Amino acid sequence: MAADIAAAAGNGERVAPPERPLAAFWATFSENKGAVLGLVIVSAIVLLAILADLVAPYHPNEQFRDAVKAPPVWAEGGSWRFVLGTDGLGRDMLSRLIHGARISLFIGVSVMCVSFVLGVAIGLASAHFGGVVDVIITRTMDLIMAVPGLVLAILVVAVLGPSLPNTIVAVTLVSLPRYVRLVRASALAELSKDYVTAARVAGVGPLRLMLATVLPNCLAPLIIQAALGVSDAILEAAALGFLGLGAQPPISEWGTMLADAREFIRSNPWLVTLPGLAILITVISINLLGDGLRDALDPKMRRS
Amino acid sequence: MKSLALAGMSLAALLAGSAALQAKTLVYCSEGSPENFSPALNTTGTSFDAARPIYNKLTEFERGSTKVVPGLAESWTVSEDSKVFTFKLKKGVKFHSVRPQGGVAFTPTRDFNADDVLFAFNRQGDEKHPFHKISGGKYDYYSDMDMPKNVKSVEKVDDYTVRLTLNEPNAPILANLAMDFMAIPSAEYAAALQKAGKLEQFDQVPVGTGPFSFVAYQKDAVIRFKAFEAHTATEKAKVDDLVYAITPDPTARYSKLKAGECHFMAYPRPADLPEMQKDAALKVINQSGLNIAYWAYNVQKPPFDKKEVRQALNYAIDKNAIIRDVYLGAGQAAVNLIPPTMWSYNTAVKGYPFDQAKAKELLAKAGVTTPLDIDLWYMPVQRPYNPNAKRIAEMMQADLAKVGINAKLVTFEWGEYRKRAQQGEHTTAQLGWTGDNGDPDNFFFLRGCSGARPGGQNLTKWCNKDYDDRLIKARGMSNQEARAKLYEEMQVIENEEAPDLKIAHSVVYEVMRKEVEGYKQSPLGDHRFNGVELK
């Protein structure tokens, strides 16, 4: 027997050792230049956010009453004291933007984590139990999706009161159905496959079956959804902040900064432009990164 | 056949009309939706502005001043003891007719007379009046001006004579009657609605004798009026139609004004003023406002029951920075409740300088343990006396942090905000006041005891006997010098007790297009469009 196999291997051409999965992933990912750029920018923003206290030149809430609405360094009258200028209360824009990155990313990532975990749990439960449980869960998710996201978020914040944790709750609730539906759909597809039946026959318990056998095979689309979900969450949170329902003053949040600077849109345009640009750049780079992930993880998209 | 001929005729008339004379429409970009159209129920300038074109009062303020002139009353006599006022009413004053969609149509069958005046008083003053409980049934102005206590009786002597008897002499009463809450509606219309069982329509579809009649209202969008040809009581309208385009965002209002979508805008932002003044298509006028922006401490909630704490907060805030950065110079730091241009202003009161060391000392003396947590409420909207309450709140928050006070910024929807603040739910709240009759009493009542009840306009809920006694005494005197003396004493008491921080008196700017002529800026902060022309 052993000799047979050895002989068969010897007869055929030498098979190249399979690529390690991480290397294969990186090879595909790095082909997409936009995705790499996105990754670089996102990493830079994450670093800035983590090191905000060290990097930012000033405390974000310190009001320099002698330099209110100072222009940025490249504009007329600008100085290196405040590189990006100061806002209507004399707070350093650069410091506020850096600390704002911390808030925005925190919201984005925590919304993603919470909805990921909840989405997986609810989605798998729905796929596993089927019947009444499935109907209740899917209809509830349909109900949530039927209400426009921002309106639902405003409703939740109005009930709970405006604050940072409540913003996260509101945005999580809005984005939850997408995860649930995704997990449920891919889990149902996997459940009908032979390897699952084999595992069942082998006597694997339901918890282990769902988490160890089915879930890993549903992960690819989930990871992509999670990456794009971060940018959606940042946008939703900025919108809530713009409406005065997100982070409360004096916390420097990009959406709130944008709203506060609206009145200077004619006289001191950079006050509105800078937080807007910050949101734009962050969201675009996360989206580019997400696209790259999809190309690299989704076998159907992978070039052969 | 007949209808066809009629249609043809009307079309011809329309064509001829448009060729001969284009209908003139004045568009005013206003800042918000009114709560309803009965000024008696309301307390905000927004709602008053919306109802003002429709109504007249017994006495009126001359356009652009605080001088009291005859309105629906032709003349009046005052008894020796200044307790009995007899008003002779104007004759031949017509009411509007309305034809609301899905509502009760009304065409007046009689002219204005004494019954209408009685209706205005009784709806607010008589709890058994059929309209008293309609639309919430709260008459804040009537109560806060102490009318229920003051008015002994209002009688109809004959159709065109009304006798008003007071319990005590009240000097500012003639000016009070010129205020919006004493607008005279049609009693006949009320009776018609009562018969139809649609009492609520009274406050939604208004009928008055004013220069414009009501056409339609869409919440958050538009209010339409048309000139009332038969108007005789005051100045006539000089345009054919008046439209309030409701535009809450000041930047949007400015864009509309620039584009010519409106002729006049409410409350420009200070930041936009330099650019507006440079624009040749626009006209910018200003006047130092008869107003005050204040920050009220709720003295019923500890630790604000202690005088030292209130004084400490007064020392802790840098008012001059607020004037410079939020008012952008268009205002002056306030010391007293009344602006310095008003008679009885006490120049001897010096207020509180910015001195944080002193603030800390006073807080320690009061036994307050820092950090102290307080609420700081700020209005969600721009007001004539306060261009940006949120920004002021953020500056205060930074100043307070330096003396060990953590202020949590809180706000609500505008109507909700005032309701809750008047109930006294806040610990500290910003608000302000625009005088509505030019009399100091109209400012000082804001700290009187009758406004300190839950729901009253005294946001400090401060009730000081020395202050209140003088307030009531001054109200009963007609000698201006003697009144001024009492008011000066009251300013000293109030400054010492510090129930509030007085932020600023603002300069009020009005912006309109060059075509608008004849507009007179009112020191009372209201907007009136009769007598205004489009060139």
mmCIF file of all heavy atoms in Angstrom, chain B residues 290-316:
data_model
loop_
_atom_site.group_PDB
_atom_site.id
_atom_site.type_symbol
_atom_site.label_atom_id
_atom_site.label_comp_id
_atom_site.label_asym_id
_atom_site.label_seq_id
_atom_site.Cartn_x
_atom_site.Cartn_y
_atom_site.Cartn_z
ATOM 1 N N LEU B 290 -33.234 96.396 22.122
ATOM 2 C CA LEU B 290 -33.836 96.519 23.443
ATOM 3 C C LEU B 290 -33.902 95.103 24.005
ATOM 4 O O LEU B 290 -34.954 94.499 24.072
ATOM 5 C CB LEU B 290 -35.238 97.079 23.247
ATOM 6 C CG LEU B 290 -35.787 98.047 24.275
ATOM 7 C CD1 LEU B 290 -34.829 99.190 24.494
ATOM 8 C CD2 LEU B 290 -37.117 98.583 23.801
ATOM 9 N N ASN B 291 -32.738 94.543 24.337
ATOM 10 C CA ASN B 291 -32.753 93.136 24.713
ATOM 11 C C ASN B 291 -31.674 92.787 25.708
ATOM 12 O O ASN B 291 -30.808 93.597 26.020
ATOM 13 C CB ASN B 291 -32.619 92.267 23.466
ATOM 14 C CG ASN B 291 -31.321 92.525 22.738
ATOM 15 O OD1 ASN B 291 -30.291 92.793 23.344
ATOM 16 N ND2 ASN B 291 -31.348 92.460 21.429
ATOM 17 N N ILE B 292 -31.723 91.570 26.188
ATOM 18 C CA ILE B 292 -30.728 91.063 27.138
ATOM 19 C C ILE B 292 -30.580 89.560 26.940
ATOM 20 O O ILE B 292 -31.574 88.867 26.754
ATOM 21 C CB ILE B 292 -31.156 91.375 28.602
ATOM 22 C CG1 ILE B 292 -30.253 90.702 29.641
ATOM 23 C CG2 ILE B 292 -32.587 90.906 28.866
ATOM 24 C CD1 ILE B 292 -29.048 91.492 29.992
ATOM 25 N N ALA B 293 -29.345 89.088 26.907
ATOM 26 C CA ALA B 293 -29.103 87.645 26.935
ATOM 27 C C ALA B 293 -28.592 87.335 28.323
ATOM 28 O O ALA B 293 -27.708 88.032 28.821
ATOM 29 C CB ALA B 293 -28.072 87.261 25.893
ATOM 30 N N TYR B 294 -29.170 86.340 28.969
ATOM 31 C CA TYR B 294 -28.717 86.022 30.322
ATOM 32 C C TYR B 294 -28.534 84.527 30.510
ATOM 33 O O TYR B 294 -28.954 83.720 29.682
ATOM 34 C CB TYR B 294 -29.677 86.580 31.373
ATOM 35 C CG TYR B 294 -31.106 86.094 31.252
ATOM 36 C CD1 TYR B 294 -31.468 84.831 31.692
ATOM 37 C CD2 TYR B 294 -32.088 86.908 30.688
ATOM 38 C CE1 TYR B 294 -32.768 84.385 31.573
ATOM 39 C CE2 TYR B 294 -33.392 86.460 30.561
ATOM 40 C CZ TYR B 294 -33.727 85.195 31.014
ATOM 41 O OH TYR B 294 -35.011 84.742 30.881
ATOM 42 N N TRP B 295 -27.888 84.193 31.609
ATOM 43 C CA TRP B 295 -27.681 82.799 31.991
ATOM 44 C C TRP B 295 -28.264 82.670 33.390
ATOM 45 O O TRP B 295 -27.722 83.223 34.347
ATOM 46 C CB TRP B 295 -26.185 82.483 31.968
ATOM 47 C CG TRP B 295 -25.810 81.092 32.374
ATOM 48 C CD1 TRP B 295 -26.474 79.948 32.096
ATOM 49 C CD2 TRP B 295 -24.658 80.715 33.130
ATOM 50 N NE1 TRP B 295 -25.812 78.873 32.620
ATOM 51 C CE2 TRP B 295 -24.690 79.317 33.260
ATOM 52 C CE3 TRP B 295 -23.599 81.416 33.699
ATOM 53 C CZ2 TRP B 295 -23.706 78.613 33.955
ATOM 54 C CZ3 TRP B 295 -22.627 80.710 34.382
ATOM 55 C CH2 TRP B 295 -22.669 79.319 34.497
ATOM 56 N N ALA B 296 -29.394 82.005 33.502
ATOM 57 C CA ALA B 296 -30.136 81.968 34.758
ATOM 58 C C ALA B 296 -29.721 80.776 35.606
ATOM 59 O O ALA B 296 -29.600 79.662 35.107
ATOM 60 C CB ALA B 296 -31.633 81.889 34.462
ATOM 61 N N TYR B 297 -29.486 81.014 36.897
ATOM 62 C CA TYR B 297 -29.239 79.923 37.833
ATOM 63 C C TYR B 297 -30.568 79.586 38.495
ATOM 64 O O TYR B 297 -31.284 80.488 38.916
ATOM 65 C CB TYR B 297 -28.253 80.346 38.923
ATOM 66 C CG TYR B 297 -27.042 81.084 38.429
ATOM 67 C CD1 TYR B 297 -26.683 82.312 38.972
ATOM 68 C CD2 TYR B 297 -26.260 80.559 37.413
ATOM 69 C CE1 TYR B 297 -25.575 82.998 38.513
ATOM 70 C CE2 TYR B 297 -25.149 81.236 36.952
ATOM 71 C CZ TYR B 297 -24.806 82.461 37.503
ATOM 72 O OH TYR B 297 -23.718 83.135 37.039
ATOM 73 N N ASN B 298 -30.892 78.333 38.594
ATOM 74 C CA ASN B 298 -32.131 77.950 39.276
ATOM 75 C C ASN B 298 -31.878 77.957 40.785
ATOM 76 O O ASN B 298 -31.286 77.026 41.328
ATOM 77 C CB ASN B 298 -32.564 76.568 38.796
ATOM 78 C CG ASN B 298 -33.911 76.173 39.338
ATOM 79 O OD1 ASN B 298 -34.416 76.796 40.270
ATOM 80 N ND2 ASN B 298 -34.509 75.153 38.748
ATOM 81 N N VAL B 299 -32.336 79.019 41.449
ATOM 82 C CA VAL B 299 -31.998 79.187 42.871
ATOM 83 C C VAL B 299 -32.713 78.175 43.760
ATOM 84 O O VAL B 299 -32.415 78.076 44.940
ATOM 85 C CB VAL B 299 -32.315 80.611 43.379
ATOM 86 C CG1 VAL B 299 -31.598 81.652 42.548
ATOM 87 C CG2 VAL B 299 -33.798 80.870 43.387
ATOM 88 N N GLN B 300 -33.652 77.438 43.195
ATOM 89 C CA GLN B 300 -34.329 76.423 44.007
ATOM 90 C C GLN B 300 -33.536 75.130 44.077
ATOM 91 O O GLN B 300 -33.888 74.221 44.812
ATOM 92 C CB GLN B 300 -35.724 76.155 43.449
ATOM 93 C CG GLN B 300 -36.626 77.351 43.660
ATOM 94 C CD GLN B 300 -38.002 77.149 43.074
ATOM 95 O OE1 GLN B 300 -38.243 76.165 42.380
ATOM 96 N NE2 GLN B 300 -38.896 78.073 43.335
ATOM 97 N N LYS B 301 -32.465 75.044 43.261
ATOM 98 C CA LYS B 301 -31.674 73.815 43.279
ATOM 99 C C LYS B 301 -30.315 74.103 43.903
ATOM 100 O O LYS B 301 -29.605 74.985 43.461
ATOM 101 C CB LYS B 301 -31.482 73.303 41.844
ATOM 102 C CG LYS B 301 -32.785 72.820 41.252
ATOM 103 C CD LYS B 301 -32.546 71.811 40.151
ATOM 104 C CE LYS B 301 -33.877 71.278 39.659
ATOM 105 N NZ LYS B 301 -33.797 70.704 38.337
ATOM 106 N N PRO B 302 -29.921 73.358 44.936
ATOM 107 C CA PRO B 302 -28.612 73.560 45.536
ATOM 108 C C PRO B 302 -27.521 73.210 44.509
ATOM 109 O O PRO B 302 -27.760 72.334 43.673
ATOM 110 C CB PRO B 302 -28.592 72.573 46.713
ATOM 111 C CG PRO B 302 -29.690 71.604 46.459
ATOM 112 C CD PRO B 302 -30.680 72.287 45.569
ATOM 113 N N PRO B 303 -26.366 73.832 44.528
ATOM 114 C CA PRO B 303 -25.942 74.837 45.502
ATOM 115 C C PRO B 303 -26.316 76.268 45.103
ATOM 116 O O PRO B 303 -25.800 77.204 45.697
ATOM 117 C CB PRO B 303 -24.423 74.676 45.473
ATOM 118 C CG PRO B 303 -24.129 74.337 44.054
ATOM 119 C CD PRO B 303 -25.301 73.540 43.558
ATOM 120 N N PHE B 304 -27.218 76.430 44.121
ATOM 121 C CA PHE B 304 -27.502 77.787 43.664
ATOM 122 C C PHE B 304 -28.430 78.557 44.604
ATOM 123 O O PHE B 304 -28.787 79.690 44.337
ATOM 124 C CB PHE B 304 -28.060 77.761 42.237
ATOM 125 C CG PHE B 304 -27.041 77.283 41.250
ATOM 126 C CD1 PHE B 304 -27.082 75.997 40.740
ATOM 127 C CD2 PHE B 304 -26.003 78.115 40.879
ATOM 128 C CE1 PHE B 304 -26.117 75.558 39.864
ATOM 129 C CE2 PHE B 304 -25.039 77.675 39.987
ATOM 130 C CZ PHE B 304 -25.091 76.390 39.484
ATOM 131 N N ASP B 305 -28.837 77.882 45.701
ATOM 132 C CA ASP B 305 -29.579 78.622 46.715
ATOM 133 C C ASP B 305 -28.628 79.544 47.481
ATOM 134 O O ASP B 305 -29.063 80.444 48.181
ATOM 135 C CB ASP B 305 -30.304 77.647 47.658
ATOM 136 C CG ASP B 305 -29.379 76.545 48.158
ATOM 137 O OD1 ASP B 305 -28.282 76.377 47.576
ATOM 138 O OD2 ASP B 305 -29.753 75.868 49.127
ATOM 139 N N LYS B 306 -27.331 79.297 47.361
ATOM 140 C CA LYS B 306 -26.351 80.149 48.045
ATOM 141 C C LYS B 306 -25.919 81.296 47.150
ATOM 142 O O LYS B 306 -25.494 81.094 46.022
ATOM 143 C CB LYS B 306 -25.120 79.320 48.423
ATOM 144 C CG LYS B 306 -25.395 78.253 49.464
ATOM 145 C CD LYS B 306 -24.081 77.821 50.099
ATOM 146 C CE LYS B 306 -24.284 76.670 51.050
ATOM 147 N NZ LYS B 306 -24.151 75.364 50.375
ATOM 148 N N LYS B 307 -26.012 82.489 47.717
ATOM 149 C CA LYS B 307 -25.651 83.701 46.984
ATOM 150 C C LYS B 307 -24.196 83.645 46.500
ATOM 151 O O LYS B 307 -23.891 84.040 45.374
ATOM 152 C CB LYS B 307 -25.867 84.891 47.913
ATOM 153 C CG LYS B 307 -25.686 86.233 47.276
ATOM 154 C CD LYS B 307 -26.139 87.325 48.210
ATOM 155 C CE LYS B 307 -25.000 87.796 49.092
ATOM 156 N NZ LYS B 307 -25.414 88.836 50.038
ATOM 157 N N GLU B 308 -23.307 83.119 47.370
ATOM 158 C CA GLU B 308 -21.870 83.127 47.043
ATOM 159 C C GLU B 308 -21.594 82.309 45.778
ATOM 160 O O GLU B 308 -20.747 82.676 44.962
ATOM 161 C CB GLU B 308 -21.032 82.562 48.207
ATOM 162 C CG GLU B 308 -20.947 83.461 49.417
ATOM 163 C CD GLU B 308 -22.192 83.367 50.284
ATOM 164 O OE1 GLU B 308 -23.015 82.440 50.053
ATOM 165 O OE2 GLU B 308 -22.363 84.206 51.173
ATOM 166 N N VAL B 309 -22.302 81.195 45.637
ATOM 167 C CA VAL B 309 -22.074 80.344 44.470
ATOM 168 C C VAL B 309 -22.454 81.092 43.200
ATOM 169 O O VAL B 309 -21.729 81.089 42.204
ATOM 170 C CB VAL B 309 -22.898 79.039 44.584
ATOM 171 C CG1 VAL B 309 -22.700 78.182 43.355
ATOM 172 C CG2 VAL B 309 -22.510 78.293 45.836
ATOM 173 N N ARG B 310 -23.594 81.782 43.274
ATOM 174 C CA ARG B 310 -24.058 82.524 42.096
ATOM 175 C C ARG B 310 -23.084 83.634 41.755
ATOM 176 O O ARG B 310 -22.756 83.862 40.593
ATOM 177 C CB ARG B 310 -25.457 83.087 42.352
ATOM 178 C CG ARG B 310 -26.459 82.025 42.798
ATOM 179 C CD ARG B 310 -27.881 82.517 42.730
ATOM 180 N NE ARG B 310 -28.185 83.625 43.612
ATOM 181 C CZ ARG B 310 -28.884 83.520 44.739
ATOM 182 N NH1 ARG B 310 -29.344 82.339 45.129
ATOM 183 N NH2 ARG B 310 -29.138 84.577 45.484
ATOM 184 N N GLN B 311 -22.603 84.318 42.781
ATOM 185 C CA GLN B 311 -21.629 85.382 42.529
ATOM 186 C C GLN B 311 -20.333 84.810 41.955
ATOM 187 O O GLN B 311 -19.749 85.383 41.034
ATOM 188 C CB GLN B 311 -21.319 86.132 43.826
ATOM 189 C CG GLN B 311 -22.468 87.015 44.287
ATOM 190 C CD GLN B 311 -22.178 87.669 45.630
ATOM 191 O OE1 GLN B 311 -21.367 87.184 46.413
ATOM 192 N NE2 GLN B 311 -22.856 88.782 45.889
ATOM 193 N N ALA B 312 -19.935 83.657 42.508
ATOM 194 C CA ALA B 312 -18.692 83.038 42.040
ATOM 195 C C ALA B 312 -18.772 82.759 40.545
ATOM 196 O O ALA B 312 -17.830 83.032 39.798
ATOM 197 C CB ALA B 312 -18.438 81.748 42.798
ATOM 198 N N LEU B 313 -19.921 82.231 40.084
ATOM 199 C CA LEU B 313 -20.069 81.935 38.668
ATOM 200 C C LEU B 313 -20.042 83.209 37.828
ATOM 201 O O LEU B 313 -19.549 83.209 36.708
ATOM 202 C CB LEU B 313 -21.358 81.148 38.425
ATOM 203 C CG LEU B 313 -21.141 79.634 38.375
ATOM 204 C CD1 LEU B 313 -20.570 79.104 39.656
ATOM 205 C CD2 LEU B 313 -22.411 78.904 38.029
ATOM 206 N N ASN B 314 -20.554 84.287 38.409
ATOM 207 C CA ASN B 314 -20.495 85.562 37.709
ATOM 208 C C ASN B 314 -19.048 86.023 37.508
ATOM 209 O O ASN B 314 -18.715 86.600 36.485
ATOM 210 C CB ASN B 314 -21.260 86.634 38.489
ATOM 211 C CG ASN B 314 -22.665 86.813 37.965
ATOM 212 O OD1 ASN B 314 -22.845 87.147 36.813
ATOM 213 N ND2 ASN B 314 -23.656 86.571 38.787
ATOM 214 N N TYR B 315 -18.222 85.755 38.532
ATOM 215 C CA TYR B 315 -16.811 86.126 38.411
ATOM 216 C C TYR B 315 -16.066 85.211 37.447
ATOM 217 O O TYR B 315 -15.069 85.592 36.855
ATOM 218 C CB TYR B 315 -16.117 86.049 39.776
ATOM 219 C CG TYR B 315 -16.360 87.236 40.678
ATOM 220 C CD1 TYR B 315 -17.041 87.106 41.882
ATOM 221 C CD2 TYR B 315 -15.884 88.498 40.325
ATOM 222 C CE1 TYR B 315 -17.254 88.185 42.719
ATOM 223 C CE2 TYR B 315 -16.084 89.587 41.149
ATOM 224 C CZ TYR B 315 -16.779 89.434 42.348
ATOM 225 O OH TYR B 315 -16.975 90.509 43.163
ATOM 226 N N ALA B 316 -16.547 83.989 37.320
ATOM 227 C CA ALA B 316 -15.770 82.969 36.604
ATOM 228 C C ALA B 316 -15.823 83.097 35.083
ATOM 229 O O ALA B 316 -15.001 82.521 34.388
ATOM 230 C CB ALA B 316 -16.248 81.582 37.012
#
